[in-house]
Amino acid sequence: MNDLITQNDNTTIVTEYKFTPKELKAYQNEEDLEKFLIKELELQGYEKLELNNILELENNFKLQLERLNNIIFSQEEWQKFYKENIANKKLNFEDKTKMLQNDSFTLTLEKDDGSKKNIILIDRINPINNHLQVVSQLKNESGKFKNRYDVSILVNGLPLVHIELKKRGVNLKEAFNQIKRYQKESFLQGNALYEFVQIFIISNGTLTKYYSNTNQHKVKKSLNDNYAFCMSFSDAKNNIIEDLEDFTKTFLAKRNLLNILTKYCVFNADNELLIMRAYQIAASERIINKIKIAHKYKYYGNIEAGGFIWHSTGSGKTLTSFKTAILATKLDFIKKVLFIVDRKDLDYQTQKEYDKFEKGAANATKNTDELKRRIESVKEDEKIIITTIQKLSKFVQKYDNSRIFDSEIVFIFDECHRSQFGKMHEQIIKKFKKYYVFGFTGTPIFEENAGKNYFVNDNKNLELKTTQSTFGDCLHSYTILNAIKDKNVLPFKVSYHSTMKQIESDLDKKISTIDRESSLLNDERIEKITSYILENFNRHTKRQSAYMLKNQRVQGFNAIFATASVDFAKKYYEEFSKQLKQNNSNLKVGVIYSYEQNEDLDEFINDTQSAKEFLSKAIKDYNSYFKSDFSLEKFDNYYKDVSQKLKDKELDLLIVVNMFLTGFDSKTINTLYVDKNLKYHGLLQAFSRTNRILNEQKNCGNIVCFRDLENATNKSLQMFGDEKASSIVLLENFAFYFEKYVVLIDELKQKFDLLNFPLYSEKEQKEFIKIFNEVLKLENILSLFDEFKNPLNIRDKQDYQSHYLELYATLKQKTEKENINDDLIFEIELIKQNEINVDFILFLLEEYYKTNQEKTKESILKTTISNPSLRDKKELIEEFLNEIDNNKNSDYKSLFKNFMQRKKEQELNQLIKDENLNEKLTKEYLDDAFELNFFQDKGERIGRLLPAINPFAPKSEGNDEKRESIINKLKAFFDKFMVFLKVDDE
């Protein structure tokens, strides 16, 4: 292997990976790549199997389960066990994943003699006891589609890892798309054994990625069901391991793969399977190894027993800390693991996040007395405690003689700066005798950014002021540069808007902070900034883009507005309220701040009582938005609800002072407006609220500054990255993207004149698709820039987009089930739109009714076929155009309403007749769906309106397919009419 890797036997992540250029070999096609992979796995100790079909897979599974559980099944025992516990059609992906990811889960075998025996599918306690096999080209012909799978790794006979290969040079996303096709067509067939898959791996030899199986849910589509969430493996120094050969020798090494499957996966409360990334595993393992060594040599109670983890904001520190805490509790000498936060709101957020990972695994504390009870409890389910440093400090002072002070305790500090530095930290480490202290931070405190407020004149105390001097050595780092290079978080687009040049350029002059802030509070300035935000809000938050969020189709993203003080927050909220009312806008704007004097949160509160009264009024406005009943007395509940409304994208803009700028994660936030001075760790923390990955439309975190923060931004990036960080962390300027865009548009027009469509040559089709893909990607970025004026006129773009969608539909139909076209990737997500275009169509329809202009009719038809969400409504719109032509004397609104109701009834009655549905129940079901704006495609109620299924039918799979077909038709009917019927209600 030429010293490719150095690795400690106790770690999953290799210490260092050195890429060595591969010699030219013959394996360029998919078949040779597959042979190479299997040979490598055999050399690593995998058993190669020759299995042809699902039946042979089932027979092997029986043998492997017998080996693992040291048992021989009788034929009757096996048939009953297999039918009830594995091939049971009531079991879904969630049930099967719980079997594999729950430490205490066992299945019960009822033996022929009446006795019972526990059966495990995987040994999670001793992972190396599990047996690994590899199969290739296994056929699944159980359903109506015949599929053949590239390579599957069996763990005790169950396919837990599936690998899809493409020949070198092919876009890797094609392998991802193929797995999605298998999930739809065949993974659920053949007793659904492939529903047990936990990890998918995709490779074209040169590039290799992996991701968890979170997207088999028929009803609830995971946010992670996106190519953007595919992960690269890496070593402990964050060097990416992409080549298939190197990936096989690291990720797929037997012990490593089994560790990842049994230790480093989390099946959360949202029924999503999460795999820890390489840097998360490395950090967790280094903490656990540090604890073991410190225990062995009795280093506990000293800085040698600790350390800190420097992982960028947005890199999943909470998941890392959770898994670390769980693994630490499994060490028999550890009494408790305390997760320490520095604010009450983070206490709640952490508890909620931990509960999502595993309900009841950790316990938050309401007060010091409850902390005492939990910390002294011997219950196994109270070994992990979440608390604030303030409560822990009070506990230390109040209960001087607690027996816990002599126990071995692990402390994990979240965002280990600010309040951890000082007297409370000293009190805690002096009182506990056998502690192991670890800190997690995305922005460490160095001497440069500690600031004068954090240092004291007494040099003896200087050692407690930086992250390293407080917690010890950095055990693992993963900076924002690493995160953005790995595409684990998004880069930032930062724009600076000068609002009062004289004041903002006067920062270095001898002018007091209060005077400067007072000038910046000028009414005219506040009015102009508010007006600018409202005028550009839809563009900044990409309201023209639509995507699915928790079964609802939503438009675009939402935003946070960071203001300098409570006085600023109040003024902005009042101005937003005034302008929203003037514009008759339905934008939902909220505000939240601490209304008591609080040095950490609000530095410029002049009138605490007025701030309190103001917030009370704002909460009443919030209640009127959302039909709630929060009040200042229920502030914690208000905070929690605001947090959830942001995550669900129900609140459009939240005005804050300091809350929500650290520790809060929401994938739907893409924009941060800033009217406050930020620097160093505070700046990067605030910016990082916007750069969580979600989908193709969200390509960056959008930062809009109303103060001159350019120098502060560069200094922050230099401190937490390096001198070249800006070129990686920040998007390029407008000219960089626009020049590329103009060149592409010229190439598009020259090579593909609209008069030459349709394209018949496959070569031309592929080239057009690739060029138009790049147009869409660049336009998605440029749309955020204020100065972007599209050189491609809207009519031509619609025409090109129509041809693009036509090619997509045609090629999708032509695609062979056994062989997807390797070269074609469509960026359909970048052109998905919904209500905005429907509103435009409705506007044009009424215009056509009034003017009868042929060009309006033409515009309607062009817009319809150029948009994927309108194509299914094309016939309906064309029919209504004819209705207009034949009924010029009718009232337009009545004409529209009557037409839509008539068409809805006609199509529904035909659907009921064709599919033999229960008429009364079907109409009631759809009436409720239209009322709620949501079609629930699962549950007993929808089952009652479907035709009765013959239980004695020879193929039950046929019944399932028929049922799914009917539900899809009902859903298509709902989607077709929903938006038009919504207009009637308005």
Side-chain angles (χ1 to χ4, degrees), residues 47-73:
E47 178 192 356
K48 185 191 176 192
L49 284 181
E50 297 292 342
L51 301 180
N52 292 311
N53 52 47
I54 294 297
L55 178 60
E56 293 180 9
L57 180 69
E58 292 172 323
N59 294 335
N60 176 67
F61 173 51
K62 173 179 177 290
L63 295 175
Q64 297 310 313
L65 211 56
E66 290 176 333
R67 182 202 61 79
L68 178 67
N69 292 276
N70 193 25
I71 188 176
I72 300 295
F73 293 101

Side-chain angles (χ1 to χ4, degrees), residues 79-140:
Q79 289 295 335
K80 184 177 181 183
F81 175 84
Y82 184 72
K83 185 176 180 180
E84 290 180 358
N85 297 290
I86 306 299
N88 189 335
K89 291 191 179 296
K90 292 181 180 179
L91 297 176
N92 55 26
F93 168 75
E94 292 93 329
D95 300 320
K96 294 172 182 178
T97 301
K98 286 172 187 173
M99 293 181 194
L100 298 165
Q101 295 300 334
N102 189 323
D103 280 346
S104 58
F105 190 91
T106 58
L107 298 169
T108 302
L109 168 68
E110 293 186 12
K111 302 190 73 177
D112 293 338
D113 61 8
S115 63
K116 295 183 179 181
K117 178 176 174 60
N118 289 334
I119 301 292
I120 60 172
L121 300 181
I122 188 169
D123 189 339
R124 294 176 57 82
I125 308 300
N126 299 299
I128 205 65
N129 285 347
N130 299 292
H131 186 54
L132 295 177
Q133 300 168 304
V134 58
V135 297
S136 65
Q137 298 302 314
L138 186 134
K139 290 182 288 188
N140 189 351

Side-chain angles (χ1 to χ4, degrees), residues 128 276 288 329 502 579:
I128 205 65
M276 291 176 71
I288 297 303
T329 61
Q502 188 173 357
Q579 292 195 28

Side-chain angles (χ1 to χ4, degrees), residues 290-487:
K290 188 82 168 179
I291 294 171
K292 289 178 179 178
I293 292 169
H295 171 76
K296 181 177 180 180
Y297 294 103
K298 295 184 169 53
Y299 291 155
Y300 43 65
N302 293 290
I303 200 167
E304 289 84 0
F308 73 95
I309 302 297
W310 176 6
H311 280 189
S312 169
T313 51
S315 61
K317 291 189 296 296
T318 308
L319 174 58
T320 312
S321 68
F322 168 77
K323 257 301 177 181
T324 303
I326 291 289
L327 293 171
T329 61
K330 296 183 186 300
L331 300 173
D332 54 13
F333 54 86
I334 295 299
K335 178 76 172 177
K336 296 284 178 181
V337 177
L338 270 68
F339 191 86
I340 316 296
V341 296
D342 70 346
R343 296 204 313 268
K344 186 178 180 181
D345 55 308
L346 294 181
D347 186 3
Y348 162 74
Q349 283 178 206
T350 306
Q351 174 69 60
K352 191 166 184 181
E353 289 299 312
Y354 270 31
D355 275 348
K356 277 186 69 174
F357 297 143
E358 185 178 328
K359 186 72 174 175
N363 304 269
T365 53
K366 295 178 182 177
N367 51 48
T368 311
D369 291 337
E370 185 176 355
L371 175 59
K372 177 182 186 297
R373 184 189 68 75
R374 291 194 186 280
I375 207 171
E376 293 180 349
S377 169
V378 296
K379 293 180 179 179
E380 280 297 313
D381 62 355
E382 292 189 333
K383 290 191 77 171
I384 301 176
I385 299 170
I386 302 168
T387 191
T388 62
I389 193 168
Q390 293 85 357
K391 287 178 198 163
L392 188 57
S393 177
K394 287 179 183 177
F395 167 79
V396 166
Q397 297 173 58
K398 186 175 180 180
Y399 301 106
D400 191 57
N401 297 317
S402 175
R403 61 181 181 273
I404 199 67
F405 295 133
D406 294 316
S407 301
E408 292 186 54
I409 305 291
V410 175
F411 292 101
I412 297 176
F413 284 82
D414 181 46
E415 286 303 338
C416 52
H417 48 68
R418 287 187 174 268
S419 25
Q420 283 84 339
F421 300 160
K423 287 186 178 180
M424 284 188 278
H425 188 279
E426 291 183 69
Q427 288 171 347
I428 293 164
I429 63 174
K430 280 182 180 178
K431 203 68 180 177
F432 287 87
K433 306 293 191 302
K434 300 177 180 179
Y435 62 80
Y436 308 82
V437 177
F438 301 95
F440 278 79
T441 182
T443 50
I445 301 298
F446 307 110
E447 288 188 21
E448 296 89 341
N449 64 314
K452 62 184 180 181
N453 294 331
Y454 299 108
F455 283 99
V456 292
N457 294 326
D458 183 356
N459 287 333
K460 289 186 295 184
N461 289 332
L462 185 66
E463 63 181 8
L464 284 176
K465 304 305 173 186
T466 66
T467 304
Q468 184 168 6
S469 62
T470 304
F471 292 93
D473 293 337
C474 179
L475 301 180
H476 191 262
S477 66
Y478 185 80
T479 68
I480 191 166
L481 292 184
N482 298 129
I484 289 176
K485 282 180 179 178
D486 291 351
K487 299 183 179 178

Side-chain angles (χ1 to χ4, degrees), residues 445-569:
I445 301 298
F446 307 110
E447 288 188 21
E448 296 89 341
N449 64 314
K452 62 184 180 181
N453 294 331
Y454 299 108
F455 283 99
V456 292
N457 294 326
D458 183 356
N459 287 333
K460 289 186 295 184
N461 289 332
L462 185 66
E463 63 181 8
L464 284 176
K465 304 305 173 186
T466 66
T467 304
Q468 184 168 6
S469 62
T470 304
F471 292 93
D473 293 337
C474 179
L475 301 180
H476 191 262
S477 66
Y478 185 80
T479 68
I480 191 166
L481 292 184
N482 298 129
I484 289 176
K485 282 180 179 178
D486 291 351
K487 299 183 179 178
N488 289 334
V489 296
L490 300 168
F492 301 111
K493 174 197 170 290
V494 186
S495 58
Y496 307 98
H497 299 259
S498 177
T499 54
M500 292 183 73
K501 288 184 179 178
Q502 188 173 357
I503 293 172
E504 292 179 356
S505 63
D506 219 5
L507 295 179
D508 294 329
K509 295 185 179 179
K510 293 181 180 178
I511 175 173
S512 74
T513 298
I514 293 175
D515 288 341
R516 188 168 62 243
E517 293 300 306
S518 176
S519 300
L520 291 168
L521 268 170
N522 176 278
D523 288 345
E524 185 179 355
R525 178 177 179 273
I526 298 293
E527 180 185 351
K528 285 183 177 179
I529 290 174
T530 303
S531 178
Y532 170 82
I533 290 174
L534 289 177
E535 286 172 10
N536 294 279
F537 189 82
N538 285 348
R539 183 171 54 79
H540 287 158
T541 58
K542 292 182 174 286
R543 291 301 165 103
Q544 81 280 6
S545 300
Y547 57 94
M548 293 301 293
L549 181 71
K550 294 187 176 179
N551 286 331
Q552 295 286 349
R553 193 163 182 81
V554 296
Q555 294 289 150
F557 310 106
N558 47 1
I560 291 176
F561 190 0
T563 62
S565 68
V566 169
D567 290 340
F568 274 88

Side-chain angles (χ1 to χ4, degrees), residues 744-762:
L744 267 179
I745 295 302
D746 288 344
E747 184 181 4
L748 181 69
K749 289 181 176 179
Q750 288 174 15
K751 290 185 175 180
F752 303 102
D753 190 299
L754 285 166
L755 296 175
N756 295 332
F757 281 87
L759 305 174
Y760 296 105
S761 159
E762 185 178 337

Side-chain angles (χ1 to χ4, degrees), residues 45-277:
Y46 286 68
E47 178 192 356
K48 185 191 176 192
L49 284 181
E50 297 292 342
L51 301 180
N52 292 311
N53 52 47
I54 294 297
L55 178 60
E56 293 180 9
L57 180 69
E58 292 172 323
N59 294 335
N60 176 67
F61 173 51
K62 173 179 177 290
L63 295 175
Q64 297 310 313
L65 211 56
E66 290 176 333
R67 182 202 61 79
L68 178 67
N69 292 276
N70 193 25
I71 188 176
I72 300 295
F73 293 101
S74 72
Q75 192 62 30
E76 291 76 13
E77 288 171 348
W78 173 249
Q79 289 295 335
K80 184 177 181 183
F81 175 84
Y82 184 72
K83 185 176 180 180
E84 290 180 358
N85 297 290
I86 306 299
N88 189 335
K89 291 191 179 296
K90 292 181 180 179
L91 297 176
N92 55 26
F93 168 75
E94 292 93 329
D95 300 320
K96 294 172 182 178
T97 301
K98 286 172 187 173
M99 293 181 194
L100 298 165
Q101 295 300 334
N102 189 323
D103 280 346
S104 58
F105 190 91
T106 58
L107 298 169
T108 302
L109 168 68
E110 293 186 12
K111 302 190 73 177
D112 293 338
D113 61 8
S115 63
K116 295 183 179 181
K117 178 176 174 60
N118 289 334
I119 301 292
I120 60 172
L121 300 181
I122 188 169
D123 189 339
R124 294 176 57 82
I125 308 300
N126 299 299
I128 205 65
N129 285 347
N130 299 292
H131 186 54
L132 295 177
Q133 300 168 304
V134 58
V135 297
S136 65
Q137 298 302 314
L138 186 134
K139 290 182 288 188
N140 189 351
E141 300 178 350
S142 309
K144 60 182 178 181
F145 298 106
K146 296 180 180 180
N147 289 137
R148 188 191 295 266
Y149 309 139
D150 282 355
V151 178
S152 299
I153 293 175
L154 312 181
V155 181
N156 306 320
L158 275 178
L160 299 194
V161 179
H162 178 67
I163 304 169
E164 197 60 39
L165 301 171
K166 291 294 171 188
K167 65 185 178 183
R168 291 182 185 271
V170 170
N171 191 324
L172 193 57
K173 189 175 179 181
E174 189 53 49
F176 177 84
N177 291 344
Q178 186 155 341
I179 288 175
K180 287 186 74 171
R181 180 166 66 86
Y182 288 158
Q183 288 176 316
K184 182 179 179 181
E185 293 178 358
S186 64
F187 279 171
L188 294 176
Q189 305 301 323
N191 286 326
L193 288 183
Y194 270 79
E195 205 173 22
F196 280 97
V197 170
Q198 302 290 281
I199 300 173
F200 290 118
I201 297 169
I202 52 178
S203 179
N204 61 8
T206 307
L207 302 174
T208 308
K209 292 181 181 289
Y210 67 101
Y211 59 101
S212 61
N213 184 6
T214 61
N215 49 22
Q216 291 219 24
H217 314 8
K218 284 186 177 181
V219 178
K220 184 176 179 184
K221 185 181 173 74
S222 167
L223 283 179
N224 297 339
D225 181 14
N226 192 294
Y227 180 69
F229 287 91
C230 295
M231 295 176 274
S232 296
F233 197 54
S234 60
D235 67 9
K237 293 185 177 181
N238 305 313
N239 298 308
I240 295 176
I241 302 172
E242 296 181 306
D243 187 89
L244 181 61
E245 180 178 344
D246 300 338
F247 184 89
T248 305
K249 291 173 179 174
T250 53
F251 186 93
L252 291 177
K254 287 175 66 176
R255 182 170 52 79
N256 289 357
L257 179 61
L258 290 170
N259 275 349
I260 291 167
L261 283 167
T262 58
K263 288 184 181 179
Y264 299 116
C265 288
V266 173
F267 192 53
N268 69 18
D270 289 335
N271 288 327
E272 290 180 323
L273 179 63
L274 309 177
I275 307 175
M276 291 176 71
R277 297 174 185 267

Side-chain angles (χ1 to χ4, degrees), residues 618-631 634 637-638 641-642 645:
I619 292 175
K620 288 180 181 177
D621 294 341
Y622 183 91
N623 289 336
S624 68
Y625 284 154
F626 298 111
K627 305 293 186 289
S628 51
D629 63 346
F630 299 109
S631 64
K634 299 178 182 177
N637 292 335
Y638 173 62
D641 196 69
V642 167
K645 289 288 192 297

